[in-house]
Amino acid sequence: MTLLGKELLPILTPDMNTQPTLLRVAQYGMAVALTLATCFLREHIAVSFGQRPLLILFMLPIIISALLGGLGSGLLATLTAGLCTAWLIPPADSLAIAASYDILQWGMLLINGILVSLLSGSLHHIRRQELRKWQQLDAVRQELQQSQAFLISAFEEAGVGMALVALDGHWLKVNPKLCDILGYSAEELLGQTFQDITHPDDLASDQQNMAQLLAGDIQTYTIEKRYIRPSQRLLWVNLTVVLARHPNGLGNYFVCVIEDIQARKQAELALFASEHNYRSLFDNMLNGYAYCRMVYDNGHPCDFMYLNVNKAFTHLTGLSNVLGRKVSEVIPTLHKTSPELLTAFNRVALGAPPECFESYVETLKIWFSLSVYSPQREHFVVIFDVITERKQAELALRQNEAFKRAILDSVNAQIAVLDLQGIIVAANRPWLQFAETSRLLPEKPIKYGQIGDDYLAACRQGTAYYQECTPKILGGIQAVLDGHINYCHFECPFGSNPEQHWFSVTVTPLGDARQGVVITHTDISERKQAEAALNQLTDDLSSTLQAIPDLLFEIDETGRYIKVKATQEKLLIAPPSHLLGRTVNDVLPPEAAQTVLQALASAAQTGFDYGRTITLPLMDAEHCFELSVARKSGHGGQPQQFVVLSRDITERKAAEASLQQKTQELLERNTELQRFNDAMVGRELDMIALKQQVNAFASQLGQDPPYPLAFLALPEFQEPYRK
């Protein structure tokens, strides 16, 4: 088919389904009607051409029919016009050629009609194609809108986190589920990059995968990574990333799907820890472990095979290389010497409850304590321990009951066993000796300590005398016997001063308390006396400290206050709560702090330091304090501590200053008085000397001395006179 034929084929054979049948019938009818109308019009037009057909008038219906109906309507109109012009226009029923011009008009009419029809058909075909294209485009647009709406809905309402991420890591768009998973709001995420919230250990692998995406080495990647939530808690996610590209092939943005796998990771970690713990337990448990499968012969158990064992199995039994082997191969005589084992194992493997029992394997010469359960039918697990030594000990203990009695009798505590009725059925020697030498009641002895005596009855009789203790003991014993409690303990006094004794009484069940109880008495009188003495010493020390008016501090070697005790807090430079934990350099003036540190250093060397004074500015006035420092006994590795006694000597200092001032004033007055006395005494001595000269002159003249000076010979005047 030629190219022209290929182009005209869709025009000449239009798609009949493109237009409704009624419409096409109407178009064809219109073509015929318009042509016949033109013919009728032509018949009634007076023209100047005489009998010439004036065929140009028939182009109008042909053009209208072709434009409105396309090729078919145009061709029908052309055919109708040709017939009308040939047969209806005079000369009618004749093709006679009146002139060449008639042939030309008639041929031009047909040719133009065909061309117009073809042209109109082509235009209609093109219009139909464009219409189809527009319809297809509209359908594609609607599908695209639906797809976009679906994608947006899927993005926003997806059950997993979804995000569009720029090539530099900035979040471009995030869905609500992602915000919920990561714990950030959409605004917070859009203001940062994924690198900001990625765990540093996972960032390198993530960026490496992104680089491979950009390079085209991979089309997508999925990794498990950790994000950092706002609470700084790590979150495990499963991240799938695809690169969206521009039409030119360059990367545009990353499409990320983020799934919260925190619960799965925790489960995996828990499972790993569980498996690790199980494997660690399996490998390191001291008990032997064996996983086995029963072997049957015609439905009867005849053997079992080892499927798995732990290290302790080999260590306890001495058997090795047992995996995959039958017990008849490992211990050939087991079926004969210990048939009960095979029976018990088979019973549990077929669905019986787990069993625990002890068995002696003659071949191995070993006693075993075994626990057997079945994980699945015809399989069983046995966990065992070697109890050969225990069995030997039990045998030796049963054979030597005297040895057990000797042990009980060697215990200082007084031990007795009561049955369910409170009757003493067994007791050690200290209990029996105590029962013989003591009385429970002050007025009359009661039998309560010998085997066969009713201990509960004795306690009931003692209730009237020891109302604080005996009812407690009686109630405790009864509660243990009834199974309400598993243990009780009391400390009770018995007797009266000075013979009062304190006892520690313990009641424990014998077995599960269905066999009775065990009572233990222990004399704690010395401990109680020591506690009383210690309490008295503590009270005395506390009273002494309360009576001391001095300030008491406990300070370590750095000068830090550890304890503060002050009966007069007004003498403290700061409240105790402000002093504790601080150093003297923090709260005291520099000079006073230095003096305290010097005293601590001296006490660290010699053990004590006395007599140093410091002056502190208190609220009312300056006060002077005298320090006494003693070193405490230190503990290895701990800072040295000191006890510092600070005594307020402000009044004493003031009295000393006043006394010193008065003493100075007295010395000055004595000096003046001495000076005056010396002057007066000198004048008297001069008068005496003059009188002596006068008496001497009188003696030379033979006269009696006019002045009596005999007192000068007395001893008390000799020394001063000589001076």
Side-chain angles (χ1 to χ4, degrees):
M1 187 179 293
T2 63
L3 180 60
L4 180 59
K6 292 181 180 180
E7 293 177 351
L8 294 178
L9 181 61
I11 300 175
L12 297 175
T13 58
D15 186 5
M16 298 301 294
N17 294 326
T18 58
Q19 293 180 336
T21 303
L22 292 177
L23 178 60
R24 296 196 63 82
V25 170
Q27 291 173 349
Y28 292 153
M30 179 192 66
V32 174
L34 286 176
T35 305
L36 293 177
T38 302
C39 182
F40 176 79
L41 181 64
R42 168 65 183 82
E43 286 293 329
H44 295 81
I45 292 178
V47 294
S48 57
F49 293 98
Q51 295 298 318
R52 299 300 178 189
L54 193 59
L55 300 182
I56 192 66
L57 293 176
F58 289 91
M59 287 302 301
L60 180 61
I62 293 174
I63 293 174
I64 294 174
S65 299
L67 290 176
L68 296 178
L71 177 63
S73 296
L75 292 178
L76 182 58
T78 302
L79 178 61
T80 304
L83 293 175
C84 288
T85 55
W87 303 102
L88 299 179
I89 297 176
D93 301 326
S94 176
L95 294 176
I97 300 174
S100 60
Y101 183 78
D102 295 334
I103 298 299
L104 179 61
Q105 281 194 84
W106 193 76
M108 290 295 295
L109 173 64
L110 295 179
I111 293 173
N112 287 334
I114 293 173
L115 291 177
V116 169
S117 298
L118 290 174
L119 179 60
S120 178
S122 177
L123 292 176
H124 274 260
H125 177 70
I126 293 173
R127 184 177 65 83
R128 286 193 299 271
Q129 286 185 334
E130 291 296 326
L131 181 60
R132 291 194 190 98
K133 290 181 179 179
W134 279 107
Q135 290 175 345
Q136 293 174 355
L137 182 61
D138 184 64
V140 171
R141 181 178 60 80
Q142 291 179 357
E143 291 179 359
L144 181 60
Q145 289 178 347
Q146 293 176 355
S147 177
Q148 288 177 342
F150 174 77
L151 289 177
I152 293 174
S153 176
F155 184 87
E156 295 294 334
E157 300 177 6
V160 295
M162 298 187 68
L164 305 182
V165 180
L167 300 183
D168 61 354
H170 277 86
W171 303 92
L172 300 177
K173 186 175 180 61
V174 295
N175 70 341
K177 183 62 177 181
L178 180 61
C179 298
D180 181 59
I181 291 174
L182 298 183
Y184 295 91
S185 65
E187 292 76 11
E188 290 174 332
L189 284 177
L190 296 178
Q192 54 187 331
T193 65
F194 79 89
Q195 294 94 331
D196 297 333
I197 62 173
T198 296
H199 191 277
D201 294 344
D202 300 336
L203 186 57
S205 62
D206 202 0
Q207 291 178 329
Q208 181 180 3
N209 285 317
M210 292 176 64
Q212 291 180 338
L213 272 181
L214 291 172
D217 297 336
I218 58 177
Q219 299 301 318
T220 182
Y221 71 87
T222 300
I223 61 171
E224 293 180 356
K225 61 178 291 187
R226 289 164 290 179
Y227 281 118
I228 304 173
R229 293 173 62 92
S231 61
Q232 301 302 310
R233 186 173 66 87
L234 295 181
L235 174 71
W236 275 99
V237 301
N238 186 72
L239 172 65
T240 301
V241 182
V242 178
L243 178 62
R245 298 181 181 273
H246 289 288
N248 59 8
L250 296 178
N252 188 4
Y253 55 84
F254 296 104
V255 180
C256 302
V257 178
I258 298 170
E259 181 183 2
D260 184 357
I261 60 171
Q262 183 70 17
R264 193 195 80 195
K265 274 294 183 180
Q266 291 176 346
E268 288 178 354
L269 292 175
L271 179 60
F272 175 79
S274 176
E275 291 178 350
H276 176 74
N277 292 337
Y278 169 77
R279 176 51 59 183
S280 177
L281 174 65
F282 183 79
D283 291 338
N284 299 296
M285 63 187 299
L286 298 179
N287 298 91
Y289 172 97
Y291 177 41
C292 307
R293 177 175 59 83
M294 292 297 301
V295 177
Y296 295 91
D297 183 11
N298 294 325
H300 297 284
C302 61
D303 211 336
F304 61 86
M305 180 180 294
Y306 292 102
L307 302 180
N308 198 2
V309 297
N310 66 346
K311 296 178 181 178
F313 177 91
T314 302
H315 175 71
L316 295 176
T317 64
L319 304 175
S320 59
N321 299 322
V322 300
L323 294 184
R325 299 173 62 189
K326 298 178 181 179
V327 71
S328 58
E329 301 173 3
V330 179
I331 312 175
T333 60
L334 182 68
H335 298 73
K336 296 180 180 180
T337 58
S338 303
E340 71 281 358
L341 285 179
L342 189 63
T343 302
F345 293 161
N346 178 65
R347 184 168 55 248
V348 174
L350 293 180
E355 296 185 12
C356 296
F357 55 91
E358 296 176 355
S359 179
Y360 179 71
V361 179
E362 179 67 28
T363 305
L364 301 178
K365 305 297 183 184
I366 298 176
W367 273 95
F368 292 99
S369 173
L370 305 103
S371 298
V372 186
Y373 72 94
S374 176
Q376 58 180 314
R377 187 171 179 81
E378 298 184 1
H379 293 71
F380 66 91
V381 172
V382 56
I383 300 174
F384 63 89
D385 194 8
V386 174
I387 58 172
T388 304
E389 293 183 0
R390 194 196 79 190
K391 282 293 184 178
Q392 292 173 350
E394 290 177 356
L395 179 61
L397 192 59
R398 285 194 301 269
Q399 293 174 348
N400 192 1
E401 185 65 26
F403 176 74
K404 180 179 67 174
R405 172 56 59 182
I407 293 177
L408 289 175
D409 292 343
S410 65
V411 177
N412 292 329
Q414 302 148 15
I415 303 174
V417 179
L418 309 184
D419 63 11
L420 295 178
Q421 286 71 39
I423 306 300
I424 299 176
V425 295
N428 67 345
R429 182 175 300 171
W431 176 282
L432 298 175
Q433 291 175 348
F434 175 77
E436 293 177 356
T437 59
S438 64
R439 295 189 306 172
L440 179 64
L441 302 182
E443 295 181 354
K444 58 181 179 178
I446 296 179
K447 292 183 64 178
Y448 75 97
Q450 301 299 326
I451 296 176
D453 294 342
D454 190 341
Y455 188 84
L456 296 182
C459 291
R460 294 188 188 97
Q461 295 182 31
T463 301
Y465 296 93
Y466 304 110
Q467 298 180 359
E468 296 182 0
C469 296
T470 308
K472 293 181 180 179
I473 297 175
L474 182 61
I477 295 174
Q478 195 63 53
V480 175
L481 285 172
D482 295 340
H484 299 317
I485 58 176
N486 293 325
Y487 172 85
C488 66
H489 174 262
F490 306 99
E491 292 184 356
C492 301
F494 290 99
S496 58
N497 291 325
E499 297 180 356
Q500 187 181 60
H501 285 264
W502 278 85
F503 288 91
S504 173
V505 181
T506 302
V507 182
T508 56
L510 181 63
D512 56 357
R514 297 177 181 176
Q515 303 175 17
V517 295
V518 178
I519 301 178
T520 302
H521 291 175
T522 303
D523 192 341
I524 57 172
S525 301
E526 294 183 359
R527 194 196 80 189
K528 283 292 184 178
Q529 293 172 0
E531 290 177 355
L534 179 61
N535 291 335
Q536 183 63 41
L537 179 61
T538 302
D539 293 341
D540 294 344
L541 180 59
S542 177
S543 300
T544 302
L545 293 176
Q546 292 292 336
I548 293 177
D550 302 337
L551 306 178
L552 184 65
F553 305 96
E554 188 171 332
I555 304 176
D556 65 13
E557 59 188 9
T558 65
R560 188 176 305 279
Y561 290 96
I562 300 174
K563 294 181 181 179
V564 176
K565 185 172 181 61
T567 56
Q568 303 182 50
E569 292 190 5
K570 64 180 181 179
L571 297 179
L572 294 173
I573 196 170
S577 60
H578 183 74
L579 295 176
L580 293 176
R582 291 180 168 84
T583 65
V584 294
N585 288 322
D586 298 332
V587 298
L588 299 182
E591 184 177 354
Q594 187 63 30
T595 301
V596 173
L597 293 176
Q598 290 174 356
L600 296 179
S602 176
Q605 298 293 328
T606 62
F608 56 86
D609 185 84
Y610 304 110
R612 299 180 192 267
T613 60
I614 60 174
T615 302
L616 301 179
L618 303 182
M619 296 294 294
D620 52 352
E622 284 193 349
H623 284 247
C624 186
F625 295 89
E626 183 180 52
L627 304 179
S628 298
V629 183
R631 183 183 63 204
K632 291 183 65 176
S633 299
H635 301 282
Q638 296 183 356
Q640 184 66 56
Q641 297 181 1
F642 303 87
V643 175
V644 179
L645 210 63
S646 178
R647 175 169 297 175
D648 185 7
I649 59 172
T650 305
E651 295 183 358
R652 192 186 81 185
K653 281 291 185 180
E656 290 178 353
S658 177
L659 179 62
Q660 185 176 5
Q661 181 180 0
K662 291 180 180 179
T663 303
Q664 184 64 29
E665 292 177 356
L666 181 61
L667 289 175
E668 292 177 355
R669 291 179 181 178
N670 287 339
T671 302
E672 293 178 359
L673 183 61
Q674 184 67 33
R675 198 176 296 118
F676 174 78
N677 186 45
D678 291 344
M680 294 298 295
V681 171
R683 188 177 65 177
E684 290 296 329
L685 292 177
D686 292 341
M687 290 296 296
I688 291 174
L690 181 59
K691 288 179 180 182
Q692 287 178 339
Q693 291 179 2
V694 172
N695 288 341
F697 288 144
S699 298
Q700 291 178 1
L701 294 176
Q703 299 179 0
D704 292 329
Y707 300 104
L709 298 176
F711 64 88
L712 294 176
L714 295 175
E716 56 268 21
F717 289 99
Q718 291 296 319
E719 187 65 25
Y721 181 74
R722 284 196 295 269
K723 291 182 179 180

